[in-house]
């Protein structure tokens, strides 16, 4: 099974940028679709985007479209990245990546249950 470790979180001012990394080990990384999620204080964990196994399909939740970019490296680093630009205080949350290989889909549909999760990394955006 795959293990996931997120990094790159921190404190940033509104309008700033951060790049989160989700580093995978174990398993066959290219067999997993990867989702990015976040959980703000007092709220449920929500998906913000996902990338297919080969990286040829990416989807975003509406609130991050045009600001966040997901990319994937299946060869050199077995990692998925989340580039976050134009950050807003509302983006403050713990960010998680998750992996799933169970579906017949190319990219997991909304509501998909992911198999494996990282521990999360805190992102705080100050106003």
């Amino acid at each position: 099974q795959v293990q996931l470790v997120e990094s790159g979180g921190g404190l940033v001012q509104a309008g700033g940028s951060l790049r989160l990394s989700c580093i995978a080990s174990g398993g066959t990384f290219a067999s997993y679709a990867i989702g990015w999620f976040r959980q703000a204080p007092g709220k449920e964990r929500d998906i913000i985007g996902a990338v297919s196994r080969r990286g040829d399909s990416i989807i975003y939740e509406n609130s991050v479209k045009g600001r966040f970019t997901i990319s994937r490296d299946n060869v050199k680093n077995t990692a998925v990245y989340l580039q976050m630009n134009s950050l807003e205080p509302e983006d403050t949350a713990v960010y998680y990546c998750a992996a799933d290989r169970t579906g017949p889909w190319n990219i997991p549909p909304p509501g998909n249950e992911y198999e494996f999760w990282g521990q999360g990394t805190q992102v705080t955006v100050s106003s």
Side-chain angles (χ1 to χ4, degrees):
Q1 64 184 37
V2 68
Q3 292 82 46
L4 305 172
V5 177
E6 303 96 334
S7 62
L11 174 63
V12 64
Q13 288 188 331
S17 298
L18 283 174
R19 186 191 193 214
L20 304 185
S21 299
C22 173
I23 308 297
S25 61
T28 303
F29 182 64
S31 66
Y32 292 90
I34 302 294
W36 279 103
F37 295 76
R38 66 185 178 186
Q39 186 167 20
K43 296 187 178 181
E44 294 185 352
R45 186 163 57 189
D46 293 323
I47 191 165
I48 55 174
V51 57
S52 61
R53 296 176 176 98
R54 295 188 301 272
D56 56 347
S57 182
I58 302 174
I59 57 173
Y60 299 96
E61 191 271 332
N62 286 337
S63 68
V64 306
K65 278 182 181 177
R67 301 189 299 125
F68 290 11
T69 303
I70 295 171
S71 60
R72 177 171 190 146
D73 181 351
N74 282 356
V75 177
K76 185 176 180 181
N77 293 316
T78 61
V80 174
Y81 305 98
L82 179 65
Q83 178 67 43
M84 306 187 294
N85 298 328
S86 302
L87 283 162
E88 304 166 351
E90 293 73 22
D91 296 317
T92 295
V94 178
Y95 284 70
Y96 301 88
C97 62
D100 190 23
R101 61 181 172 179
T102 60
W105 28 253
N106 184 40
I107 190 166
N112 182 72
E113 294 288 335
Y114 283 72
E115 292 181 275
F116 305 106
W117 292 81
Q119 83 290 348
T121 186
Q122 176 71 46
V123 171
T124 303
V125 184
S126 63
S127 58

